[in-house]
Amino acid sequence: MGLGFRKSFQGFKKDLRQLMRPYYIINMFLSLSYIVCKRLPYVCHFLFNQADCQLDDRETEILTFLMIVIMMRTRKTGSLSMINYLSNSFVYCKVANLILWFHADITLGILYAVIFILCGLLCPEPTYQGPENVIYLRGGNSLQEELEHDTRVCWLIAFYTVWNPACVNFAPIFSELSAKYALDNFKFGKVDIGRHPEVAAKYRINDSSKSQQLPSLILFKEGKEVERRPVADRQGKLMKFLFSMDNIKNAFDIEGVYETCLKNPIKMKGKKDKKDE
């Protein structure tokens, strides 16, 4: 229990440090801008020229619908941390704010839209900057060549798209796994099935915007698939899988594969020939 609490606290501190970045501060302001401006007396009087700073029925309906959409989308994408939750929520919050500002005043709506676009261009979401040992494969032929090149190598392949929130949230986890466990005979690879749909078709992965198979992880041993997540049950229904670090380690026995590969290193031909001489 103490270890679990310590890990949770460390994760919370890490999220707080992440929240201090300009991207999150700006987007939180944009996401709360309408409610804050509408509720602050002097700001409300200046912008809306209203005596009572209250939300009307239409505004309340929009905000209620926004909350429902965010909860549904967050549940589908499997947000596991505060950062993931906020990242998934920002787009819907900003769109709702855009509607509210246009509802209040067209000029204010246009101004908000301009700020919205400029912030997106000038302050994109921070990407993972830590160490990784990932091989980015270009299409099905590249993947197949790697699998057939040396069947002694185990591969953990992530199939993803750049526009899917769940894939974006999963990227740093996969990078951390690769940095810790990658070996000459245990490699981590990624394939962008948005750019290579033929790969999605070959490995039976739905790459549509409503897909519940993004991201997909497949473990290959001796050039053949031995495990994947998410996986379908006997009725063909996909079983929900949350792509957390611990879940991935358990589902694919990462520790076991790593230990096996570590004990059975690949002997390089060059070194063997030199030894024989």
Side-chain angles (χ1 to χ4, degrees):
M1 185 174 179
L3 180 61
F5 176 78
R6 194 156 51 246
K7 288 176 67 176
S8 299
F9 183 69
Q10 289 174 351
F12 180 70
K13 288 204 313 185
K14 182 179 178 182
D15 285 348
L16 285 181
R17 287 195 297 269
Q18 186 87 340
L19 286 176
M20 294 300 104
R21 295 190 177 188
Y23 169 82
Y24 295 99
I25 294 173
I26 291 171
N27 277 275
M28 281 190 284
F29 172 75
L30 291 175
S31 299
L32 298 172
S33 62
Y34 190 84
I35 295 178
V36 171
C37 291
K38 194 68 184 282
R39 296 291 294 171
L40 287 177
Y42 294 105
V43 178
C44 174
H45 298 157
F46 176 75
L47 291 176
F48 305 104
N49 194 25
Q50 293 180 350
D52 59 327
C53 298
Q54 301 291 333
L55 297 171
D56 61 29
D57 293 340
R58 181 62 174 169
E59 292 166 340
T60 304
E61 288 176 3
I62 293 173
L63 291 172
T64 303
F65 180 71
L66 169 65
M67 292 176 61
I68 294 171
V69 170
I70 290 175
M71 287 189 292
M72 291 177 62
R73 293 301 300 172
T74 302
R75 184 179 178 184
K76 284 186 177 181
T77 55
S79 297
L80 298 171
S81 69
M82 178 169 55
I83 295 297
N84 291 346
Y85 183 85
L86 289 174
S87 297
N88 289 328
S89 304
F90 281 150
V91 174
Y92 304 106
C93 288
K94 289 186 290 186
V95 170
N97 273 266
L98 184 63
I99 295 171
L100 289 168
W101 281 112
F102 269 107
H103 172 71
D105 185 273
I106 294 178
T107 304
L108 293 175
I110 293 173
L111 179 61
Y112 182 87
V114 171
I115 296 173
F116 184 162
I117 295 170
L118 286 176
C119 289
L121 294 174
L122 301 177
C123 190
E125 183 173 1
T127 56
Y128 176 76
Q129 300 296 327
E132 69 171 18
N133 197 345
V134 177
I135 298 172
Y136 290 85
L137 302 166
R138 299 181 179 179
N141 291 335
S142 177
L143 173 57
Q144 195 60 38
E145 287 172 5
E146 291 289 352
L147 292 175
E148 295 176 354
H149 176 68
D150 192 338
T151 55
R152 295 173 297 176
V153 177
C154 295
W155 282 89
L156 185 63
I157 305 294
F159 299 85
Y160 73 104
T161 63
V162 296
W163 47 262
N164 185 276
C167 295
V168 175
N169 294 335
F170 170 64
I173 296 174
F174 192 72
S175 294
E176 289 178 29
L177 282 169
S178 70
K180 185 175 182 179
Y181 294 104
L183 298 167
D184 288 337
N185 53 350
F186 185 22
K187 297 183 179 182
F188 292 72
K190 295 183 77 172
V191 182
D192 183 354
I193 58 175
R195 297 180 61 184
H196 304 285
E198 73 282 359
V199 181
K202 180 177 180 179
Y203 291 98
R204 308 179 307 282
I205 300 172
N206 182 355
D207 60 347
S208 69
S209 59
K210 296 182 180 180
S211 174
Q212 296 181 1
Q213 290 181 277
L214 293 174
S216 278
L217 269 183
I218 299 181
L219 178 64
F220 294 91
K221 291 182 180 180
E222 298 182 354
K224 298 179 181 180
E225 176 183 335
V226 295
E227 194 70 68
R228 78 158 63 194
R229 291 294 186 279
V231 66
D233 59 19
R234 294 180 179 179
Q235 286 73 38
K237 184 179 179 181
L238 281 175
M239 300 171 64
K240 189 174 181 179
F241 183 78
L242 296 180
F243 285 89
S244 67
M245 182 76 74
D246 291 336
N247 285 352
I248 294 168
K249 286 182 180 180
N250 293 332
F252 294 94
D253 188 23
I254 298 295
E255 297 280 357
V257 176
Y258 175 79
E259 290 297 330
T260 301
C261 292
L262 194 62
K263 293 176 182 177
N264 299 280
I266 296 176
K267 296 180 179 179
M268 305 301 291
K269 290 184 179 180
K271 291 183 179 180
K272 186 176 179 181
D273 295 341
K274 188 174 181 180
K275 188 176 180 181
D276 292 340
E277 290 176 359

